[in-house]
Amino acid sequence: MTPPNPAPKGDPPDWPLVERQAVRAVILDPQNRVLLLRCAAGDGGPPFWITPGGGIDPGESEDETLIRELREELGWSLDPTNLGPCIWTRTHTFPWPPKGVRLKQHERYRLCRPTDAQPVLEHHRTPDEVQVLSGHRWWSADDIERASSEGERFAPRAFGQQLRVLISRGPPARPIDVGV
């Protein structure tokens, strides 16, 4: 096991900036609900909900990364043929306390419709994931929009609207930038 990183010096805005490529899964069940993970905010703010996924390691393809991340975060062994097209993109910068850096992350969101898959959490997670992920839930677009109006946070912020468009129109011909 890797020893924990020392506490970074200064406030998150003073932490080094690291750019990385990442891939995430928009996992839809037969009822068009999306699986989201509850994530601690790196800035000490309230937690928020994200899709499973993460950074692409050197030498990994997008497919390899997504299959690894779904295994780590959800306990799934997924066949690459279950991975769909890239539907969304976004770039954002955020503090990442497990490494004491600010990540400027360039994300690609892939559509995924597994059959009969239920998450088996906390059995395969990395130490960083254990530190920041605290639960999961299947959400409908209505649930997300209602929870957003009540103060829950989602990434991307307009997740409910984007999900509604995806469900009604299907995957776009080209990935859509969904903003922060």
Side-chain angles (χ1 to χ4, degrees), residues 25-42:
V26 177
I27 300 170
L28 295 181
D29 71 4
Q31 292 80 39
N32 285 322
R33 296 176 305 165
V34 65
L35 180 64
L36 299 178
L37 303 175
R38 190 168 190 253
C39 185

Side-chain angles (χ1 to χ4, degrees), residues 40-123:
D43 61 5
F48 56 97
W49 295 91
I50 61 171
T51 58
I56 298 174
D57 287 340
E60 267 187 333
S61 70
E62 255 186 40
D63 285 1
E64 290 167 335
T65 298
L66 205 47
I67 289 167
R68 174 182 52 78
E69 288 288 341
L70 295 178
R71 183 178 57 251
E72 289 173 2
E73 295 177 355
L74 305 174
W76 288 354
S77 293
L78 200 63
D79 185 290
T81 60
N82 287 334
L83 299 177
C86 178
I87 55 171
W88 301 338
T89 62
R90 92 177 176 135
T91 297
H92 64 112
T93 302
F94 59 96
W96 186 241
K99 301 292 184 209
V101 298
R102 289 175 301 128
L103 289 177
K104 182 174 184 179
Q105 186 157 279
H106 306 279
E107 296 177 338
R108 292 175 50 84
Y109 288 76
R110 302 274 301 273
L111 182 60
C112 184
R113 286 190 174 268
T115 56
D116 299 327
Q118 287 300 319
V120 180
L121 303 178
E122 294 153 15
H123 298 290

Side-chain angles (χ1 to χ4, degrees), residues 145-165:
E145 288 179 343
R146 186 174 22 264
S148 292
S149 71
E150 295 169 357
E152 287 283 347
R153 299 186 327 157
F154 296 86
R157 289 184 186 132
F159 201 113
Q161 296 165 348
Q162 295 295 340
L163 181 59
R164 190 174 306 287
V165 169

